[in-house]
Amino acid sequence: MYFAALLARTEDGWEASDTELDDVETLSDLADLAREASPDEDTVLVLIEQEDAWFGVVRVDGEEDPRIYVSDAAAAARSSYGEILLTDELLGRDPGDDGDDLDALDLDGTEDGESDDDEEDGDGAAAGAGAGEAVPHGPVGDAEVLDDLGVSEKELRSMSGDAVGEIAEALGVSDVLETVR
């Protein structure tokens, strides 16, 4: 189950709104949605959480490029919402690398769920390493995305479980966020 919310900083403090991401297909769409939440080009945070699997923070400051942090790229890659956040740039790939990665893979039949017992003598490690490089396990992105708002890189990296709630608490907007949960 997913939860997504927009937190827009205004002159009067933070305003929260529940958001549907069904029509969002790209990071650009998500950034546009965030900008619509703040006509004065103030800071907008998009917080996305999938149960205890992963969470993401997208920060949009006016017309600047969005800043992104994803707690676990591999878990997010298995999610349609996570795929929106995991851009080539965020993963350190050149656009279009996907095709090259497929050509470089050693496709020996185990990708269809066949037993990989025969591979464990060395070949499996090489095949697994290639897949791990495409989408790493663990956090990716700008872990300092919330530093100036009172959430340090160390705090952000240590969050798990209800990370969206922890972020809201650190920003002092727990009550505001709870109104849209």
Side-chain angles (χ1 to χ4, degrees):
M1 186 164 136
Y2 294 94
F3 174 71
L6 290 172
L7 289 175
R9 187 164 46 178
T10 67
E11 291 178 5
D12 300 324
W14 290 93
E15 292 181 8
S17 58
D18 189 9
T19 187
E20 282 294 320
L21 299 179
D22 294 340
D23 295 331
V24 174
E25 295 180 11
T26 66
L27 180 59
S28 180
D29 293 344
L30 186 61
D32 289 345
L33 182 70
R35 287 183 184 105
E36 290 171 12
S38 178
D40 295 330
E41 296 190 3
D42 289 320
T43 298
V44 178
L45 302 176
V46 181
L47 305 174
I48 302 171
E49 183 175 70
Q50 181 187 6
E51 295 179 349
D52 292 337
W54 67 276
F55 70 92
V57 177
V58 178
R59 179 177 178 160
V60 178
D61 293 300
E63 291 300 318
E64 292 181 27
D65 287 341
R67 295 170 57 194
I68 306 164
Y69 174 80
V70 176
S71 66
D72 186 336
R78 295 186 294 270
S79 152
S80 59
Y81 296 141
E83 288 178 350
I84 293 168
L85 305 181
L86 297 175
T87 63
D88 287 334
E89 182 180 342
L90 187 70
L91 296 173
R93 302 186 296 211
D94 291 329
D97 270 359
D98 292 340
D100 295 338
D101 289 346
L102 290 176
D103 293 339
L105 287 177
D106 177 20
L107 301 178
D108 59 4
T110 59
E111 62 279 352
D112 291 327
E114 296 173 15
S115 173
D116 63 349
D117 292 341
D118 298 336
E119 283 188 23
E120 291 181 12
D121 58 354
D123 292 336
E133 290 170 4
V135 179
H137 289 275
V140 296
D142 184 356
E144 297 175 352
V145 67
L146 301 175
D147 268 0
D148 64 322
L149 300 175
V151 181
S152 71
E153 175 180 354
K154 182 179 180 181
E155 290 172 308
L156 190 62
R157 289 184 184 272
S158 69
M159 290 182 181
S160 62
D162 181 20
V164 168
E166 291 179 50
I167 291 168
E169 187 174 317
L171 296 176
V173 296
S174 296
D175 294 342
V176 174
L177 183 67
E178 284 305 313
T179 62
V180 297
R181 271 203 187 217

mmCIF file of all heavy atoms in Angstrom, residues 2-23:
data_model
loop_
_atom_site.group_PDB
_atom_site.id
_atom_site.type_symbol
_atom_site.label_atom_id
_atom_site.label_comp_id
_atom_site.label_asym_id
_atom_site.label_seq_id
_atom_site.Cartn_x
_atom_site.Cartn_y
_atom_site.Cartn_z
ATOM 1 N N TYR A 2 0.473 2.231 -0.765
ATOM 2 C CA TYR A 2 1.236 3.460 -0.906
ATOM 3 C C TYR A 2 0.557 4.609 -0.183
ATOM 4 O O TYR A 2 -0.656 4.650 -0.052
ATOM 5 C CB TYR A 2 1.333 3.863 -2.382
ATOM 6 C CG TYR A 2 2.124 2.899 -3.201
ATOM 7 C CD1 TYR A 2 1.500 1.872 -3.890
ATOM 8 C CD2 TYR A 2 3.494 3.020 -3.289
ATOM 9 C CE1 TYR A 2 2.220 0.980 -4.642
ATOM 10 C CE2 TYR A 2 4.233 2.134 -4.044
ATOM 11 C CZ TYR A 2 3.592 1.123 -4.721
ATOM 12 O OH TYR A 2 4.314 0.236 -5.463
ATOM 13 N N PHE A 3 1.381 5.548 0.215
ATOM 14 C CA PHE A 3 0.875 6.814 0.712
ATOM 15 C C PHE A 3 1.718 7.896 0.053
ATOM 16 O O PHE A 3 2.944 7.806 0.023
ATOM 17 C CB PHE A 3 0.976 6.917 2.232
ATOM 18 C CG PHE A 3 0.589 8.277 2.748
ATOM 19 C CD1 PHE A 3 -0.731 8.687 2.728
ATOM 20 C CD2 PHE A 3 1.549 9.154 3.224
ATOM 21 C CE1 PHE A 3 -1.092 9.944 3.185
ATOM 22 C CE2 PHE A 3 1.194 10.402 3.685
ATOM 23 C CZ PHE A 3 -0.129 10.810 3.669
ATOM 24 N N ALA A 4 1.062 8.900 -0.485
ATOM 25 C CA ALA A 4 1.769 10.022 -1.096
ATOM 26 C C ALA A 4 1.117 11.314 -0.637
ATOM 27 O O ALA A 4 -0.113 11.420 -0.605
ATOM 28 C CB ALA A 4 1.733 9.921 -2.613
ATOM 29 N N ALA A 5 1.941 12.275 -0.268
ATOM 30 C CA ALA A 5 1.425 13.564 0.179
ATOM 31 C C ALA A 5 2.326 14.676 -0.340
ATOM 32 O O ALA A 5 3.525 14.479 -0.549
ATOM 33 C CB ALA A 5 1.366 13.617 1.699
ATOM 34 N N LEU A 6 1.718 15.820 -0.526
ATOM 35 C CA LEU A 6 2.444 17.037 -0.876
ATOM 36 C C LEU A 6 2.470 17.926 0.355
ATOM 37 O O LEU A 6 1.434 18.150 0.987
ATOM 38 C CB LEU A 6 1.735 17.798 -1.993
ATOM 39 C CG LEU A 6 1.741 17.202 -3.384
ATOM 40 C CD1 LEU A 6 0.829 18.009 -4.306
ATOM 41 C CD2 LEU A 6 3.136 17.183 -3.944
ATOM 42 N N LEU A 7 3.631 18.426 0.693
ATOM 43 C CA LEU A 7 3.764 19.423 1.747
ATOM 44 C C LEU A 7 4.290 20.691 1.091
ATOM 45 O O LEU A 7 5.406 20.710 0.578
ATOM 46 C CB LEU A 7 4.743 18.965 2.827
ATOM 47 C CG LEU A 7 4.322 17.841 3.739
ATOM 48 C CD1 LEU A 7 5.468 17.446 4.664
ATOM 49 C CD2 LEU A 7 3.114 18.266 4.568
ATOM 50 N N ALA A 8 3.488 21.726 1.095
ATOM 51 C CA ALA A 8 3.882 22.994 0.482
ATOM 52 C C ALA A 8 4.115 24.027 1.578
ATOM 53 O O ALA A 8 3.255 24.246 2.440
ATOM 54 C CB ALA A 8 2.788 23.472 -0.470
ATOM 55 N N ARG A 9 5.303 24.652 1.523
ATOM 56 C CA ARG A 9 5.613 25.695 2.503
ATOM 57 C C ARG A 9 5.014 27.005 2.006
ATOM 58 O O ARG A 9 5.249 27.415 0.875
ATOM 59 C CB ARG A 9 7.117 25.828 2.700
ATOM 60 C CG ARG A 9 7.461 26.783 3.818
ATOM 61 C CD ARG A 9 8.848 26.696 4.326
ATOM 62 N NE ARG A 9 9.854 26.645 3.287
ATOM 63 C CZ ARG A 9 11.154 26.606 3.535
ATOM 64 N NH1 ARG A 9 11.584 26.604 4.776
ATOM 65 N NH2 ARG A 9 12.025 26.556 2.559
ATOM 66 N N THR A 10 4.256 27.640 2.888
ATOM 67 C CA THR A 10 3.610 28.905 2.552
ATOM 68 C C THR A 10 4.005 29.948 3.589
ATOM 69 O O THR A 10 4.699 29.631 4.567
ATOM 70 C CB THR A 10 2.075 28.761 2.533
ATOM 71 O OG1 THR A 10 1.627 28.511 3.868
ATOM 72 C CG2 THR A 10 1.629 27.633 1.622
ATOM 73 N N GLU A 11 3.521 31.157 3.420
ATOM 74 C CA GLU A 11 3.779 32.216 4.405
ATOM 75 C C GLU A 11 3.215 31.838 5.767
ATOM 76 O O GLU A 11 3.729 32.250 6.802
ATOM 77 C CB GLU A 11 3.146 33.526 3.941
ATOM 78 C CG GLU A 11 3.817 34.139 2.741
ATOM 79 C CD GLU A 11 3.114 35.414 2.287
ATOM 80 O OE1 GLU A 11 2.158 35.866 2.966
ATOM 81 O OE2 GLU A 11 3.530 35.948 1.251
ATOM 82 N N ASP A 12 2.137 31.044 5.760
ATOM 83 C CA ASP A 12 1.459 30.673 6.997
ATOM 84 C C ASP A 12 1.947 29.350 7.576
ATOM 85 O O ASP A 12 1.360 28.842 8.526
ATOM 86 C CB ASP A 12 -0.052 30.574 6.747
ATOM 87 C CG ASP A 12 -0.637 31.883 6.256
ATOM 88 O OD1 ASP A 12 -0.176 32.948 6.712
ATOM 89 O OD2 ASP A 12 -1.543 31.835 5.401
ATOM 90 N N GLY A 13 2.978 28.764 6.998
ATOM 91 C CA GLY A 13 3.482 27.472 7.456
ATOM 92 C C GLY A 13 3.308 26.420 6.372
ATOM 93 O O GLY A 13 3.153 26.740 5.191
ATOM 94 N N TRP A 14 3.312 25.177 6.776
ATOM 95 C CA TRP A 14 3.198 24.084 5.820
ATOM 96 C C TRP A 14 1.742 23.704 5.608
ATOM 97 O O TRP A 14 0.963 23.650 6.563
ATOM 98 C CB TRP A 14 3.956 22.855 6.328
ATOM 99 C CG TRP A 14 5.442 23.008 6.318
ATOM 100 C CD1 TRP A 14 6.221 23.434 7.355
ATOM 101 C CD2 TRP A 14 6.329 22.729 5.244
ATOM 102 N NE1 TRP A 14 7.542 23.450 6.977
ATOM 103 C CE2 TRP A 14 7.638 23.010 5.685
ATOM 104 C CE3 TRP A 14 6.151 22.268 3.943
ATOM 105 C CZ2 TRP A 14 8.756 22.853 4.871
ATOM 106 C CZ3 TRP A 14 7.267 22.102 3.131
ATOM 107 C CH2 TRP A 14 8.555 22.393 3.597
ATOM 108 N N GLU A 15 1.391 23.423 4.360
ATOM 109 C CA GLU A 15 0.073 22.911 4.027
ATOM 110 C C GLU A 15 0.266 21.538 3.411
ATOM 111 O O GLU A 15 1.139 21.343 2.565
ATOM 112 C CB GLU A 15 -0.638 23.820 3.019
ATOM 113 C CG GLU A 15 -1.013 25.172 3.576
ATOM 114 C CD GLU A 15 -1.727 26.042 2.557
ATOM 115 O OE1 GLU A 15 -2.062 25.549 1.462
ATOM 116 O OE2 GLU A 15 -1.950 27.227 2.870
ATOM 117 N N ALA A 16 -0.561 20.595 3.825
ATOM 118 C CA ALA A 16 -0.459 19.222 3.310
ATOM 119 C C ALA A 16 -1.669 18.903 2.453
ATOM 120 O O ALA A 16 -2.775 19.389 2.705
ATOM 121 C CB ALA A 16 -0.386 18.229 4.464
ATOM 122 N N SER A 17 -1.422 18.099 1.445
ATOM 123 C CA SER A 17 -2.531 17.582 0.652
ATOM 124 C C SER A 17 -2.203 16.164 0.216
ATOM 125 O O SER A 17 -1.062 15.859 -0.127
ATOM 126 C CB SER A 17 -2.819 18.478 -0.559
ATOM 127 O OG SER A 17 -1.688 18.600 -1.376
ATOM 128 N N ASP A 18 -3.232 15.330 0.297
ATOM 129 C CA ASP A 18 -3.118 13.963 -0.192
ATOM 130 C C ASP A 18 -3.057 14.068 -1.707
ATOM 131 O O ASP A 18 -3.707 14.919 -2.302
ATOM 132 C CB ASP A 18 -4.360 13.181 0.238
ATOM 133 C CG ASP A 18 -4.249 11.704 -0.042
ATOM 134 O OD1 ASP A 18 -3.158 11.240 -0.416
ATOM 135 O OD2 ASP A 18 -5.264 11.009 0.118
ATOM 136 N N THR A 19 -2.275 13.229 -2.325
ATOM 137 C CA THR A 19 -2.168 13.337 -3.769
ATOM 138 C C THR A 19 -2.287 11.978 -4.431
ATOM 139 O O THR A 19 -1.812 10.988 -3.904
ATOM 140 C CB THR A 19 -0.860 14.040 -4.182
ATOM 141 O OG1 THR A 19 -0.879 14.268 -5.575
ATOM 142 C CG2 THR A 19 0.351 13.219 -3.826
ATOM 143 N N GLU A 20 -2.948 11.966 -5.545
ATOM 144 C CA GLU A 20 -3.062 10.768 -6.367
ATOM 145 C C GLU A 20 -1.959 10.815 -7.416
ATOM 146 O O GLU A 20 -1.793 11.825 -8.097
ATOM 147 C CB GLU A 20 -4.420 10.704 -7.054
ATOM 148 C CG GLU A 20 -5.540 10.258 -6.146
ATOM 149 C CD GLU A 20 -5.377 8.819 -5.689
ATOM 150 O OE1 GLU A 20 -4.966 7.961 -6.494
ATOM 151 O OE2 GLU A 20 -5.660 8.558 -4.516
ATOM 152 N N LEU A 21 -1.234 9.751 -7.548
ATOM 153 C CA LEU A 21 -0.143 9.700 -8.513
ATOM 154 C C LEU A 21 -0.494 8.851 -9.730
ATOM 155 O O LEU A 21 0.371 8.563 -10.543
ATOM 156 C CB LEU A 21 1.119 9.148 -7.839
ATOM 157 C CG LEU A 21 1.656 9.967 -6.673
ATOM 158 C CD1 LEU A 21 2.885 9.295 -6.079
ATOM 159 C CD2 LEU A 21 1.962 11.389 -7.085
ATOM 160 N N ASP A 22 -1.764 8.482 -9.866
ATOM 161 C CA ASP A 22 -2.176 7.615 -10.966
ATOM 162 C C ASP A 22 -1.899 8.229 -12.334
ATOM 163 O O ASP A 22 -1.597 7.513 -13.282
ATOM 164 C CB ASP A 22 -3.656 7.255 -10.848
ATOM 165 C CG ASP A 22 -3.939 6.398 -9.626
ATOM 166 O OD1 ASP A 22 -2.986 5.785 -9.095
ATOM 167 O OD2 ASP A 22 -5.104 6.345 -9.202
ATOM 168 N N ASP A 23 -2.018 9.550 -12.453
ATOM 169 C CA ASP A 23 -1.802 10.205 -13.743
ATOM 170 C C ASP A 23 -0.361 10.671 -13.938
ATOM 171 O O ASP A 23 -0.033 11.254 -14.966
ATOM 172 C CB ASP A 23 -2.742 11.403 -13.892
ATOM 173 C CG ASP A 23 -4.204 10.974 -13.932
ATOM 174 O OD1 ASP A 23 -4.481 9.842 -14.395
ATOM 175 O OD2 ASP A 23 -5.062 11.758 -13.491
#
